[in-house]
Amino acid sequence: AEIYYFMGEKGKALEEAKAKGLLILVNKEHPVDQNYKPDDLSEVKYYAPDRDRAARYMRAEAAEAFDMLVEKAAEEGVVIKMTTAYRSYNFQKILFDSYVKKEGEEKANTYSAKPGQSEHQTGLSVDVSSPSVDYQLSNDYGKTAEGKWLADNAYRFGFILRFLQGKENITGYQYEPWHIRYVGLTAAKEIYEQGLTLEEYLLKNEIE
């Protein structure tokens, strides 16, 4: 009976997360509309210097969870800050087009999302960095003390590492140790413990 009770609680938590839009899948196959914008964007407290002010926002629940993550990390001597969170469709278009100009569309599409295909538009994703790497976004971040702390602890605040190493064929993007996505505590814990991508997790739990 206890097992069924647990499944019931888990199911309830996932249904709630789904109803709030926390389990929305945005990728190359599942774009969001050009006009999609969350109506509960809230400013994140902890951000890297000299970053675009418009990108300091996340959905309220995610922003609160992120601030808690940063504060807990700081207690443990780890400095983590937001570099960019919410990005509008138009901002993503400018960004993607600039990468295409530099490296061509095929290469750009391995590390940058086309407009409408970016999780940043949902207000649930945040790129983070630390002073130890001068607030840059680099694969080496995964090897730093801060990057390791993030990988080990993000789930405790409802976040997952979204683009895992070795899962590029599933996510469509290269490894990004700095990009975390809010999915709520229940899903985050399971995704972390099972080493899954969001795509795999949603499929496994038959969540569309």
Side-chain angles (χ1 to χ4, degrees), residues 19 21 23 47 60 65 72 87 95-96 104 117 139 158 183 189 198:
L23 299 178
Y47 45 84
K72 185 64 182 166
R87 293 204 289 252
L95 196 63
F96 185 76
Q117 297 178 8
N139 283 2
V183 290
K189 186 171 189 288
L198 184 58

Side-chain angles (χ1 to χ4, degrees), residues 5-59:
Y5 175 72
F6 173 73
M7 288 300 287
E9 286 297 300
K10 174 196 153 181
K12 206 166 122 187
L14 290 180
E15 275 304 311
E16 196 180 308
K18 184 183 168 186
K20 288 182 189 171
L22 303 181
L23 299 178
I24 184 173
L25 180 63
V26 178
N27 60 20
K28 291 173 184 180
E29 282 78 44
H30 298 85
V32 283
D33 186 74
Q34 182 170 351
N35 300 314
Y36 177 86
K37 183 181 181 182
D39 58 8
D40 62 345
L41 289 174
S42 177
E43 194 164 357
V44 169
K45 282 187 204 168
Y46 305 104
Y47 45 84
D50 309 322
R51 292 303 193 280
D52 184 12
R53 178 154 196 172
R56 287 181 198 163
Y57 293 83
M58 296 185 81
R59 286 192 57 192

Side-chain angles (χ1 to χ4, degrees), residues 44 46 62-70 81-82 126 128 159:
V44 169
Y46 305 104
E64 191 180 339
F66 180 70
D67 288 340
M68 284 167 63
L69 179 153
V70 172
K81 300 271 176 75
M82 179 216 90
V126 54
V128 305
F159 287 92

